[in-house]
Amino acid sequence: MTQQHKHIISMLVEDEPGVMTRISGLFARRGFNIDTITVGKTQTPKVSKIVITVKGDDRTVEQIEKQVNKLVDVFKTIEMKDDESVTRELCLVKVSLSNEKAKTDIMHYAQVYKAPIVDITPKSAIIQLVGKPQKNDAFLELMKPYGIKDISRTGTTAIQRGGNGEK
Amino acid sequence: MKGSEAIVKTLIGSGVHTTFGFPGGAVIPLFDEFLRFEGKIKNILVRHEQGAAHAADGYARASGKPGICIATSGPGATNLVTGIMTAYMDSSPIIAFGGQVSMSLIGNDAFQEADMMGITLPITKHSFQIKKANDVVPTILKAFRISAEGRPGPVYIDLPKDCQVGEVTKEAPKKVDIPSFKPVYRGNINQIKKAADMILAAERPVVIAGGGTIIANAAKEVTVLMDTFMIPTATTIMGKGIIPEDHPLAIGQVGMHGRKAANYAVINADLVMAVGCRFSDRITGNTSSYAEKAKVIHIDIDAAEIGKNIEVDVPIVGDSKSVLSDLIVVMNEKLKKKTETEWSKRMKELNQLCRCNMDSKKEPIEPKKLLFELNRILKTDDIVVTGVGQHQMFATHFIDRMKPRTFITSGGAGTMGFGLPAAMGAKVAVPDTNVFDIDGDGSFLMNIQELATLKEENIKVIPVVFNNSYLGMVRQWLEIYYSKRYSQVKLGRHSDFVKIAEAFGLGGIRVEKPAKIQDALKESIRSKETMVLDVYVEPESNILPMLPPGGHLKEAFGGCMNAKGVFF
Ligand SMILES: Cc1ncc(C[n+]2csc(CCOP(=O)(O)OP(=O)(O)O)c2C)c(N)n1
């Protein structure tokens, strides 16, 4: 087996129904599991950006990228290299507040991570994390002993560093 | 104006005079318009929607223009699927219209509703679902561009009934822009210069011309490379006809059932230039040892094909014709005319050795004898369409074609049943040309209902059935790889194709003697109507050479006796 790496692929697509199906179909056909996928509008009307993260060997991922590029609804695909792009993920986590100690600990950790508590009840708190997925993972790890009740993650989105936009 | 009228007018405006289709509830409004535009456009009423899709495909391959097929929703549309996939695999431009239940019913499992957008997604170049009558014209205009430009392919249009009966209120555009669809035609000149240097420096170059060269109309350019620069030129099945096959350096077909000369060239070349071909597994055999001694130049309009199956030294993305003509200009600046080399002489010799005697008086008729007789009678412009199986491989091997678009076969999909309807479509595209359907008894039966269409519409093709009473190609595999355990391949000979033809109101001739072949062919060619030739051939002939699946090209065995032992 060739080396499996994580790849972040960003695509500018026409804002049409079915685009997501076409793209995910290409990945599924080759047995790729899409780790995360995010979609949103861009500064250009009718153009959306999709960011996908997958694991795979470089050659196969490049091949899929070319196939995606061929889709009529796709303007452009680029692979986001780690050192050339900023990547972020939003994660909401609900943790139990079982006792006073837990509550103090959790609030402390949240402060260190600069993660606001966006909702709180006597029994649980919802904390909002925005950061690199690895950083979010680390915070979730810290929360585990206190009892995580629920997690919602958006998946990774990314943007290229420097002056230019994707055109 | 109603949506349905706008559809028909847009088709006519796009140069369509014939469509192939079959009606049903969801396309009644559309077909109703055909009556009003009689004389300008005509639908050929096929007898099965699969026939419509293959006919549109045959039309497209013979003419280079998109072929149109129409079916009703649900089962009508799903019957198109095999034909769409066949066109997709061979990059053939068809536009398939499928009726759909009205927008308000979609997603309700309404009567004859099928998710055709989902079903056709992986087998189309693109698909559209029309959502309102105003979208009809721009969508069809886009479909024409998408199906034909760049690497061609099928486009599916899902056509809800309410969009056909609804009013078009917006002025229709004359042209459409598709901002995300911009095929690249010109190749990168630096890459082309690199390629030119490599070709001129090579001692043993070979060109492999694929279907892309035919689509791009690059016959002149490929022939110049072969003729002026003396580069031995092989073709894939899809590229057959791009060069005159009687040329001494036209070394035949590569791959699984390839001519030994062609495979020898690929194995021993120091440079392989593949043009408009995708190195499919049937071409390469085992890819890890493919063309080991060679540097590879790959020219294709589809960037995703380059580096997909074979690693490439010089990739060039562009249209075959444009890239090759630039390449020839560069090569001409460096070298006026290339002289004969050791390599070109050797290839001519080997090529000659592979061209063995096809004549035979043996009974039952040997397939090669039937091809021998066909070759004698075929004119340059005649079109040969085939079914799928041994007869198809015999035809790709032993029938010489001199011009592009005169050999039409289901290569990538290998769809049995393609022959008869595709021949019908080709005939409609080029009505003054003789169109032969070289078919197998198994394949022919798969769309035999189109004999009814041929009769009623008075379309004349020349079906020649290689009746070997077996699903021959599978039988051959069983003979070789399953020690003759013939499971599920015996068809028998009780189906009487002559009587079947007669039952459809057509004529037919049974041929059992080698000496009778020529007369029967002449009679069918002369006949005003389609006349089926049911030729009893030797049941257990094999098509050779043959490469074990996944094997190295060197492992190809069998073939012309003259060539025995000379090669590998
Ligand atoms: C639709 C379809 N079903 C099955 C096959 C598998 N297959 C490939 S060749 C072949 C036998 C074809 O028999 P026939 O048309 O009689 O031609 P022959 O090989 O005898 O010349 C079969 C079954 C196929 N290619 N297409």
Side-chain angles (χ1 to χ4, degrees):
Chain A
M1 255 328 255
T2 24
Q3 277 247 298
Q4 306 271 312
H5 291 293
K6 189 168 147 193
H7 298 261
I8 303 176
I9 301 165
S10 166
M11 346 180 170
L12 286 176
V13 304
E14 198 138 348
D15 186 11
E16 290 274 347
V19 182
M20 290 276 267
T21 328
R22 286 178 212 277
I23 292 173
S24 50
L26 284 175
F27 283 87
R29 228 179 118 185
R30 288 183 171 69
F32 273 86
N33 194 10
I34 294 178
D35 286 335
T36 72
I37 183 163
T38 69
V39 200
K41 292 199 186 310
T42 63
Q43 72 279 18
T44 320
K46 295 226 61 187
V47 176
S48 298
K49 185 184 277 185
I50 299 180
V51 177
I52 282 181
T53 58
V54 285
K55 276 196 210 66
D57 67 273
D58 295 353
R59 191 163 161 204
T60 321
V61 171
E62 188 194 323
Q63 174 60 28
I64 298 189
E65 224 180 289
K66 284 181 176 172
Q67 297 282 2
V68 170
N69 234 338
K70 247 167 81 169
L71 293 174
V72 172
D73 289 334
V74 174
F75 292 94
K76 194 181 172 186
T77 66
I78 51 169
E79 175 154 10
M80 294 286 179
K81 300 279 188 233
D82 227 10
D83 46 348
E84 295 162 7
S85 57
V86 176
T87 56
R88 289 292 180 271
E89 178 204 42
L90 165 66
C91 168
L92 296 171
V93 55
K94 191 185 287 177
V95 275
S96 308
L97 304 173
S98 41
N99 54 42
E100 269 312 303
K101 165 134 185 3
K103 193 166 161 185
T104 338
D105 284 0
I106 288 166
M107 288 176 77
H108 170 69
Y109 284 133
Q111 216 171 20
V112 174
Y113 271 79
K114 299 197 178 69
I117 294 172
V118 290
D119 186 57
I120 193 154
T121 65
K123 287 204 170 130
S124 68
I126 299 175
I127 303 161
Q128 169 188 311
L129 290 152
V130 175
K132 287 202 169 223
Q134 304 90 298
K135 193 179 144 193
N136 295 348
D137 287 341
F139 184 82
L140 294 173
E141 208 47 49
L142 283 173
M143 288 302 105
K144 260 192 193 159
Y146 303 100
I148 294 176
K149 292 181 147 178
D150 201 2
I151 299 177
S152 275
R153 304 178 77 156
T154 57
T156 308
T157 191
I159 195 162
Q160 274 189 316
R161 291 185 191 276
N164 296 331
E166 280 178 49
K167 278 199 208 78
Chain B
M1 174 169 52
K2 284 194 182 136
S4 50
E5 182 180 344
I7 296 172
V8 174
K9 279 189 168 157
T10 312
L11 288 177
I12 294 169
S14 305
V16 175
H17 52 81
T18 313
T19 60
F20 303 90
F22 196 90
V27 285
I28 285 178
L30 176 57
F31 280 131
D32 182 59
E33 296 294 337
F34 277 75
L35 288 183
R36 297 183 43 213
F37 288 92
E38 234 170 26
K40 293 210 171 99
I41 192 166
K42 171 185 168 71
N43 180 66
I44 290 181
L45 176 61
V46 294
R47 298 308 197 261
H48 188 305
E49 291 88 350
Q50 186 183 352
H54 290 324
D57 191 350
Y59 177 97
R61 296 188 203 212
S63 67
K65 290 187 293 198
I68 314 289
C69 56
I70 305 171
T72 191
S73 65
T78 56
N79 272 349
L80 293 175
V81 168
T82 302
I84 296 173
M85 177 266 191
T86 304
Y88 182 71
M89 293 300 283
D90 289 342
S91 308
S92 176
I94 67 170
I95 300 174
F97 288 89
Q100 184 55 280
V101 301
S102 289
M103 284 305 291
S104 59
L105 292 175
I106 287 184
N108 287 1
D109 298 326
F111 177 65
Q112 294 193 332
E113 180 190 359
D115 174 13
M116 288 307 295
M117 294 298 285
I119 290 171
T120 58
L121 184 107
I123 53 165
T124 49
K125 184 172 174 189
H126 196 58
S127 51
F128 293 98
Q129 183 172 58
I130 291 182
K131 297 207 166 57
K132 45 187 190 303
N134 276 330
D135 290 346
V136 157
V137 179
T139 303
I140 296 175
L141 293 178
K142 281 182 194 172
F144 271 94
R145 284 197 48 201
I146 292 169
S147 73
E149 291 176 22
R151 178 180 182 174
V155 174
Y156 185 80
I157 299 182
D158 205 41
L159 194 60
K161 194 168 182 180
D162 53 334
C163 302
Q164 300 167 46
V165 294
E167 280 296 314
V168 175
T169 51
K170 268 202 229 156
E171 175 93 43
K174 289 269 170 308
K175 268 173 53 190
V176 284
D177 184 39
I178 315 168
S180 51
F181 178 66
K182 300 249 176 330
V184 176
Y185 285 85
R186 287 300 291 271
N188 178 309
I189 191 67
N190 292 325
Q191 293 291 90
I192 291 174
K193 283 182 180 156
K194 232 197 252 176
D197 287 338
M198 275 167 69
I199 299 170
L200 294 176
E203 283 175 11
R204 300 180 310 279
V206 60
V207 166
I208 303 175
T213 58
I214 289 184
I215 294 166
N217 296 320
K220 200 177 88 200
E221 290 73 14
V222 180
T223 309
V224 165
L225 285 176
M226 173 177 72
D227 198 49
T228 315
F229 291 94
M230 306 243 171
I231 306 175
T233 300
T235 50
T236 67
I237 288 176
M238 297 313 298
K240 190 175 173 71
I242 194 66
I243 41 173
E245 293 195 290
D246 57 356
H247 192 286
L249 283 173
I251 54 176
Q253 156 192 341
V254 282
M256 178 173 264
H257 290 291
R259 191 185 294 173
K260 279 194 168 171
N263 282 339
Y264 175 92
V266 173
I267 293 167
N268 291 293
D270 61 352
L271 178 86
V272 171
M273 180 162 80
V275 193
C277 106
R278 60 189 174 88
F279 287 117
S280 86
D281 54 302
R282 285 292 191 266
I283 298 299
T284 59
N286 186 345
T287 49
S288 62
S289 50
Y290 183 72
E292 286 170 293
K293 302 174 191 165
K295 290 238 180 310
V296 178
I297 302 169
H298 192 178
I299 302 168
D300 203 290
I301 196 157
D302 181 355
E305 287 302 344
I306 298 182
K308 185 175 88 176
N309 299 333
I310 293 291
E311 291 207 30
V312 171
D313 297 287
V314 182
I316 305 176
V317 179
D319 169 80
S320 311
K321 187 181 183 73
S322 158
V323 172
L324 290 185
S325 56
D326 288 348
L327 180 74
I328 288 166
V329 170
V330 177
M331 285 170 67
N332 268 329
E333 282 165 8
K334 308 205 178 205
L335 184 83
K336 283 291 171 260
K337 184 169 167 86
K338 213 170 170 190
T339 47
E340 197 85 73
T341 61
E342 280 304 306
W343 172 249
S344 62
K345 274 190 238 158
R346 170 103 175 114
M347 284 319 305
K348 279 184 183 173
E349 245 171 60
L350 293 181
N351 198 27
Q352 199 48 43
L353 285 174
C354 290
R355 299 194 142 256
C356 44
N357 180 24
M358 308 263 297
D359 200 2
S360 152
K361 292 200 167 63
K362 265 205 199 141
E363 279 183 48
I365 296 169
E366 290 190 275
K368 65 175 191 178
K369 167 69 172 175
L370 181 46
L371 292 157
F372 174 80
E373 297 299 339
L374 267 163
N375 250 341
R376 280 177 38 186
I377 209 164
L378 278 174
K379 296 199 296 286
T380 311
D381 286 324
D382 288 352
I383 291 177
V384 174
V385 184
T386 80
V388 167
Q390 290 183 312
H391 62 280
Q392 172 193 32
M393 291 300 129
F394 273 118
T396 60
H397 238 294
F398 296 119
I399 287 192
D400 285 336
R401 300 282 63 209
M402 309 296 160
K403 285 172 79 173
R405 301 193 185 282
T406 59
F407 189 81
I408 295 175
T409 194
S410 169
T415 304
M416 289 174 67
F418 175 79
L420 189 64
M424 173 166 79
K427 180 70 180 182
V428 170
V430 220
D432 297 330
T433 305
N434 280 334
V435 178
F436 291 77
D437 168 30
I438 295 190
D439 229 324
D441 43 340
S443 296
F444 189 59
L445 202 55
M446 277 204 172
N447 272 313
I448 201 158
Q449 76 286 344
E450 298 312 325
L451 287 176
T453 315
L454 292 167
K455 170 71 187 181
E456 299 298 335
E457 299 284 346
N458 199 15
I459 300 167
K460 190 235 158 149
V461 299
I462 305 160
V464 181
V465 180
F466 283 51
N467 190 339
N468 57 9
S469 76
Y470 276 113
L471 295 168
M473 185 57 104
V474 183
R475 186 208 55 74
Q476 175 172 341
W477 281 55
L478 299 186
E479 177 185 333
I480 298 172
Y481 296 113
Y482 284 81
S483 47
K484 286 204 175 190
R485 290 161 58 81
Y486 287 170
S487 176
Q488 312 310 315
V489 290
K490 178 92 189 138
L491 298 172
R493 271 209 179 116
H494 288 100
S495 308
D496 184 332
F497 291 116
V498 173
K499 278 195 189 146
I500 292 175
E502 284 165 4
F504 280 112
L506 298 167
I509 306 173
R510 159 91 28 81
V511 185
E512 293 180 68
K513 302 257 181 247
K516 293 278 158 69
I517 300 172
Q518 213 33 254
D519 284 347
L521 282 170
K522 285 192 181 126
E523 195 171 337
S524 181
I525 291 169
R526 256 197 323 267
S527 160
K528 286 229 148 35
E529 284 190 322
T530 296
M531 177 177 276
V532 176
L533 300 189
D534 182 14
V535 186
Y536 278 17
V537 295
E538 159 59 42
E540 297 197 54
S541 285
N542 286 339
I543 168 71
L544 298 169
M546 178 181 189
L547 179 68
H552 185 275
L553 290 183
K554 265 185 198 155
E555 293 159 30
F557 57 88
C560 175
M561 293 312 287
N562 289 342
K564 206 176 177 184
V566 182
F567 288 86
F568 320 122

